Each structure stands twice: as C-alpha cells, then as structure tokens.
Amino acid sequence: MGRRFIVLLGPPGAGKGTQAARLAQAAGLAHLASGDLFREHLSRGTELGKVAQAYMTRGELVPDDVTTRMIAERLAQPDAATGAVFDGFPRTVAQAEGLDRLLAEHGERVQRAVVIDARREELVRRLTGRWLCRECQTPYHQTSRPPRVPGRCDGCGGELYQRPDDTVEVVERRLAVYEDQTQPLLAWYERAGVLARVDGERDVEAVQRALARAIAS
Ligand code: AP5
Ligand code: MG
Ligand code: ZN
C-alpha cells in the first residue's frame, strides 16, 4: 500500500547515480537525484540553479533549507506515487530530519538506507574519467564503461560531457565534505535500524545484485 523510500548514501563516485537509475527502473520507483535536479535548474537558468551553482563549483553543500524544499516539490510529482530512490539526498543530519518530517506527514518513512563505498583512489579514478549524458544523465567512464559511439549516449544518443566539479581539486573538496558532513548520517540511519552496506568496488552488475539483496532483507 504505502510508498517505498530507499536512500542511497556514499561518497562522490561510489556509483549512486549508476545504481539508483537501475534500482528505480527495476522497482518502479522514481529516481530522485538532488545533484541532477540542481544541474537541471542551472541549465534552465532558474534562481535556485544560480544559488546552487556557487556551492557546486566549489564542491560545497547547497544549504539544507533550499535543498529540502526542492526535494519536497519533486516528491509531489506523479511519478513518485509509488515511492522513490533518493540519490545524493539526504546529505546532512538536518536534511534527513527534514525528509523524515516530510514523509511522516503521510505516515510514511525511509525503509532502507544503503551505503555504497569504495577506496579513495578508485573514487578519484572514476570521477576524473566520467562522462555523462546531457539528456538522460546516464554516467559512462572513459575506460571502465565507454559508450559504444564516442561522445554519444548508448541509450538516447545524447551528447556526453564532463562535469566541471570532476577536476582533481574539486573532487578532493567533495570527498572532505562527505567525510565531515555526510558520514555522521550513517550512524543516524544505523540507530534508526535501516542501514545496510554494499561494497561498491565490484563491477556494476555485482553491486546491483548486492544492493537488491540489501533492500530485500
Ligand atoms: P551529486 O551530483 O550528488 O554528486 P556526488 O555525490 O558528488 O556523487 P557523484 O554523482 O559524483 O557520484 P555517484 O556516486 O553518483 O557516481 P556515478 O554513478 O556517477 O552532487 C553534486 C553537488 O551538488 C554537490 O557537491 C553539492 O554541491 C550539490 N548537492 C547535491 N545534493 C546535495 C544535497 N543533498 N545537499 C546539498 N548539496 C547537494 O559513478 C561515477 C563514475 O564511476 C562513472 O563514470 C561510472 O560509470 C563509474 N562507475 C560506477 N559504478 C562503477 C563500478 N561498479 N565499477 C566501475 N566504475 C563504476
Ligand atoms: Mg551522481
Ligand atoms: Zn542519454
């Protein structure tokens, strides 16, 4: 009956976007990625997009109130009628509390929060070699997951681009911000009894299977 809500946690480059898209598709849930939403606002030139850009280019977090409000709006859309896989949200304890309040209004809650993790060197390798589809946001990697046609998305034919925050310098900052501000969320979800962990360093299909098991259990 009730909607299903799954949170994917993990450092930049762990594979949240890669896995959230597959999981949402398989489970019939909306894929709700805060970073993608900010980038969409930015490309449309909205006020929110301009506010977010200043933080994103430095690898800092966009303020909690702005972020949580954007998610609340997105959650009210019809494709979230069955629930959602959250990718990159919440990222602070304040955001997690905001999400809990939002869901509690309808007697709902997060059923599972899964951390996908990998070693630092691997995260940096993935992000600095990443290419994304401008149209559908599918991530590729120049060596581990190259598109069939260079520069084009396998799925939709869209143009591939590199994110401006995927430089070594900004990636270092994003990793530090993750450790400082997002790591504390793990203990928070652990106490709520919904935390699971998945090794993100195996290949995409193996991670996908482990994630499916973590959610079913
Ligand atoms: P966001 O867009 O969420 O970026 P992120 O958390 O830094 O994570 P990424 O998208 O970089 O990595 P991912 O885990 O999705 O990995 P992916 O699947 O692409 O946020 C960007 C910015 O927006 C933030 O810095 C902040 O400013 C702002 N923001 C967003 N949310 C916010 C919030 N809630 N609050 C405040 N501010 C917020 O994979 C990476 C690469 O690895 C790809 O090339 C992929 O092909 C490859 N890959 C994936 N899995 C594997 C595998 N198993 N093996 C080998 N390669 C793999
Ligand atoms: Mg992502
Ligand atoms: Zn595409």
Side-chain angles (χ1 to χ4, degrees):
M1 262 306 287
R3 296 192 290 177
R4 280 181 83 196
F5 295 102
I6 295 158
V7 168
L8 295 192
L9 295 162
K16 300 181 298 296
T18 301
Q19 297 298 334
R22 289 165 179 247
L23 177 59
Q25 171 89 37
L29 303 172
H31 174 192
L32 228 155
S34 44
D36 290 352
L37 291 171
F38 285 131
R39 283 183 288 275
E40 196 185 302
H41 273 277
L42 185 60
S43 71
R44 296 205 321 260
T46 69
E47 213 41 57
L48 172 61
K50 284 172 205 151
V51 171
Q53 185 185 29
Y55 296 93
M56 293 172 85
T57 52
R58 296 199 307 268
E60 307 284 340
L61 295 185
V62 179
D64 289 332
D65 54 338
V66 177
T67 304
T68 306
R69 223 177 308 126
M70 174 180 74
I71 294 291
E73 267 169 36
R74 181 63 186 81
L75 256 186
Q77 282 170 30
D79 68 324
T82 51
V85 178
F86 292 105
D87 158 9
F89 177 88
R91 243 176 166 89
T92 63
V93 171
Q95 289 180 18
E97 287 168 348
L99 178 61
D100 271 11
R101 273 197 300 275
L102 209 63
L103 298 183
E105 286 172 16
H106 309 279
E108 297 170 321
R109 62 183 192 93
V110 169
Q111 277 96 17
R112 262 244 167 300
V114 188
V115 192
I116 308 174
D117 212 345
R119 279 166 310 142
R120 195 182 182 90
E121 311 83 79
E122 174 65 5
L123 299 171
V124 174
R125 187 195 72 82
R126 288 183 185 181
L127 293 173
T128 52
R130 173 166 64 179
W131 289 81
L132 289 143
C133 175
R134 242 185 237 295
E135 307 304 322
C136 73
Q137 322 309 327
T138 298
Y140 295 87
H141 188 277
Q142 58 196 25
T143 52
S144 29
R145 203 152 267 261
R148 285 194 296 267
V149 179
R152 290 282 150 203
C153 176
D154 291 354
C156 77
E159 183 201 358
L160 302 186
Y161 79 105
Q162 289 191 290
R163 270 171 47 181
D165 60 342
D166 277 347
T167 59
V168 176
E169 300 72 38
V170 185
V171 165
E172 293 293 336
R173 183 69 199 133
R174 286 158 60 200
L175 289 168
V177 167
Y178 176 78
E179 278 168 29
D180 280 4
Q181 301 187 54
T182 308
Q183 287 268 28
L185 257 187
L186 273 49
W188 197 86
Y189 277 123
E190 182 120 65
R191 277 198 299 278
V194 297
L195 191 76
R197 289 169 200 270
V198 161
D199 175 8
E201 270 201 42
R202 285 171 297 164
D203 63 55
V204 172
E205 287 69 26
V207 177
Q208 190 179 352
R209 285 191 297 273
L211 189 56
R213 278 195 301 276
I215 284 154
S217 64

